[in-house]
mmCIF file of all heavy atoms in Angstrom:
data_model
loop_
_atom_site.group_PDB
_atom_site.id
_atom_site.type_symbol
_atom_site.label_atom_id
_atom_site.label_comp_id
_atom_site.label_asym_id
_atom_site.label_seq_id
_atom_site.Cartn_x
_atom_site.Cartn_y
_atom_site.Cartn_z
ATOM 1 N N ASP H 97 -10.611 10.183 8.769
ATOM 2 C CA ASP H 97 -10.552 9.584 7.431
ATOM 3 C C ASP H 97 -9.097 9.264 7.105
ATOM 4 O O ASP H 97 -8.189 10.024 7.461
ATOM 5 C CB ASP H 97 -11.097 10.563 6.380
ATOM 6 C CG ASP H 97 -12.545 10.936 6.630
ATOM 7 O OD1 ASP H 97 -13.348 10.016 6.879
ATOM 8 O OD2 ASP H 97 -12.876 12.137 6.583
ATOM 9 N N ILE H 98 -8.896 8.158 6.385
ATOM 10 C CA ILE H 98 -7.538 7.746 6.000
ATOM 11 C C ILE H 98 -7.477 7.831 4.472
ATOM 12 O O ILE H 98 -7.888 6.900 3.763
ATOM 13 C CB ILE H 98 -7.240 6.302 6.472
ATOM 14 C CG1 ILE H 98 -7.612 6.095 7.948
ATOM 15 C CG2 ILE H 98 -5.785 5.923 6.179
ATOM 16 C CD1 ILE H 98 -6.808 6.877 8.944
ATOM 17 N N ILE H 99 -6.995 8.939 3.973
ATOM 18 C CA ILE H 99 -7.051 9.191 2.523
ATOM 19 C C ILE H 99 -5.671 9.075 1.876
ATOM 20 O O ILE H 99 -5.526 8.469 0.820
ATOM 21 C CB ILE H 99 -7.650 10.594 2.235
ATOM 22 C CG1 ILE H 99 -9.029 10.740 2.910
ATOM 23 C CG2 ILE H 99 -7.745 10.846 0.728
ATOM 24 C CD1 ILE H 99 -10.072 9.724 2.466
ATOM 25 N N ALA H 100 -4.654 9.675 2.499
ATOM 26 C CA ALA H 100 -3.300 9.656 1.909
ATOM 27 C C ALA H 100 -2.286 9.485 3.041
ATOM 28 O O ALA H 100 -2.487 9.991 4.151
ATOM 29 C CB ALA H 100 -3.025 10.966 1.175
ATOM 30 N N ILE H 101 -1.188 8.808 2.738
ATOM 31 C CA ILE H 101 -0.163 8.574 3.772
ATOM 32 C C ILE H 101 0.466 9.906 4.202
ATOM 33 O O ILE H 101 0.917 10.056 5.336
ATOM 34 C CB ILE H 101 0.906 7.571 3.266
ATOM 35 C CG1 ILE H 101 1.742 7.036 4.423
ATOM 36 C CG2 ILE H 101 1.785 8.155 2.170
ATOM 37 C CD1 ILE H 101 1.040 6.119 5.347
ATOM 38 N N THR H 102 0.442 10.880 3.319
ATOM 39 C CA THR H 102 1.049 12.177 3.631
ATOM 40 C C THR H 102 0.220 12.968 4.653
ATOM 41 O O THR H 102 0.671 14.007 5.127
ATOM 42 C CB THR H 102 1.215 13.009 2.348
ATOM 43 O OG1 THR H 102 -0.008 12.919 1.600
ATOM 44 C CG2 THR H 102 2.360 12.514 1.499
ATOM 45 N N ASP H 103 -0.959 12.480 4.984
ATOM 46 C CA ASP H 103 -1.767 13.140 6.025
ATOM 47 C C ASP H 103 -1.244 12.828 7.425
ATOM 48 O O ASP H 103 -1.734 13.399 8.408
ATOM 49 C CB ASP H 103 -3.239 12.676 5.960
ATOM 50 C CG ASP H 103 -3.906 13.080 4.654
ATOM 51 O OD1 ASP H 103 -3.406 14.018 4.013
ATOM 52 O OD2 ASP H 103 -4.913 12.446 4.278
ATOM 53 N N PHE H 104 -0.291 11.897 7.531
ATOM 54 C CA PHE H 104 0.183 11.436 8.837
ATOM 55 C C PHE H 104 1.584 11.938 9.126
ATOM 56 O O PHE H 104 2.382 12.135 8.221
ATOM 57 C CB PHE H 104 0.149 9.900 8.897
ATOM 58 C CG PHE H 104 -1.248 9.391 8.832
ATOM 59 C CD1 PHE H 104 -1.866 9.208 7.617
ATOM 60 C CD2 PHE H 104 -1.973 9.182 9.995
ATOM 61 C CE1 PHE H 104 -3.192 8.797 7.546
ATOM 62 C CE2 PHE H 104 -3.291 8.784 9.932
ATOM 63 C CZ PHE H 104 -3.900 8.583 8.714
ATOM 64 N N THR H 105 1.870 12.097 10.421
ATOM 65 C CA THR H 105 3.235 12.462 10.829
ATOM 66 C C THR H 105 4.001 11.172 11.137
ATOM 67 O O THR H 105 3.385 10.126 11.428
ATOM 68 C CB THR H 105 3.212 13.333 12.101
ATOM 69 O OG1 THR H 105 2.676 12.523 13.178
ATOM 70 C CG2 THR H 105 2.357 14.581 11.914
ATOM 71 N N PRO H 106 5.323 11.223 11.131
ATOM 72 C CA PRO H 106 6.097 10.046 11.533
ATOM 73 C C PRO H 106 5.704 9.538 12.917
ATOM 74 O O PRO H 106 5.597 8.326 13.135
ATOM 75 C CB PRO H 106 7.543 10.549 11.488
ATOM 76 C CG PRO H 106 7.528 11.634 10.461
ATOM 77 C CD PRO H 106 6.199 12.306 10.606
ATOM 78 N N ASP H 107 5.458 10.439 13.860
ATOM 79 C CA ASP H 107 5.078 10.007 15.216
ATOM 80 C C ASP H 107 3.744 9.258 15.209
ATOM 81 O O ASP H 107 3.570 8.278 15.945
ATOM 82 C CB ASP H 107 4.971 11.217 16.162
ATOM 83 C CG ASP H 107 6.342 11.671 16.643
ATOM 84 O OD1 ASP H 107 7.320 10.939 16.408
ATOM 85 O OD2 ASP H 107 6.418 12.760 17.239
ATOM 86 N N GLU H 108 2.804 9.714 14.402
ATOM 87 C CA GLU H 108 1.518 9.014 14.316
ATOM 88 C C GLU H 108 1.706 7.616 13.733
ATOM 89 O O GLU H 108 1.092 6.642 14.199
ATOM 90 C CB GLU H 108 0.537 9.818 13.458
ATOM 91 C CG GLU H 108 0.003 11.058 14.161
ATOM 92 C CD GLU H 108 -0.821 11.955 13.261
ATOM 93 O OE1 GLU H 108 -0.626 11.944 12.026
ATOM 94 O OE2 GLU H 108 -1.668 12.690 13.802
ATOM 95 N N LEU H 109 2.570 7.513 12.735
ATOM 96 C CA LEU H 109 2.799 6.189 12.149
ATOM 97 C C LEU H 109 3.477 5.257 13.147
ATOM 98 O O LEU H 109 3.125 4.073 13.235
ATOM 99 C CB LEU H 109 3.615 6.325 10.855
ATOM 100 C CG LEU H 109 2.868 7.031 9.716
ATOM 101 C CD1 LEU H 109 3.792 7.273 8.521
ATOM 102 C CD2 LEU H 109 1.648 6.214 9.269
ATOM 103 N N LEU H 110 4.402 5.792 13.915
ATOM 104 C CA LEU H 110 5.061 4.951 14.930
ATOM 105 C C LEU H 110 4.071 4.516 16.008
ATOM 106 O O LEU H 110 4.153 3.396 16.524
ATOM 107 C CB LEU H 110 6.263 5.688 15.533
ATOM 108 C CG LEU H 110 7.427 5.874 14.552
ATOM 109 C CD1 LEU H 110 8.490 6.798 15.135
ATOM 110 C CD2 LEU H 110 8.057 4.534 14.153
ATOM 111 N N ARG H 111 3.134 5.391 16.345
ATOM 112 C CA ARG H 111 2.064 5.023 17.297
ATOM 113 C C ARG H 111 1.263 3.847 16.736
ATOM 114 O O ARG H 111 0.995 2.862 17.431
ATOM 115 C CB ARG H 111 1.170 6.250 17.525
ATOM 116 C CG ARG H 111 -0.192 5.962 18.120
ATOM 117 C CD ARG H 111 -0.130 5.865 19.636
ATOM 118 N NE ARG H 111 -1.442 5.595 20.216
ATOM 119 C CZ ARG H 111 -1.722 4.542 20.977
ATOM 120 N NH1 ARG H 111 -0.797 3.662 21.272
ATOM 121 N NH2 ARG H 111 -2.928 4.378 21.470
#
Side-chain angles (χ1 to χ4, degrees):
D97 299 313
I98 311 294
I99 305 301
I101 195 70
T102 45
D103 296 339
F104 294 85
T105 65
D107 280 349
E108 286 172 334
L109 293 173
L110 291 171
R111 162 84 180 122

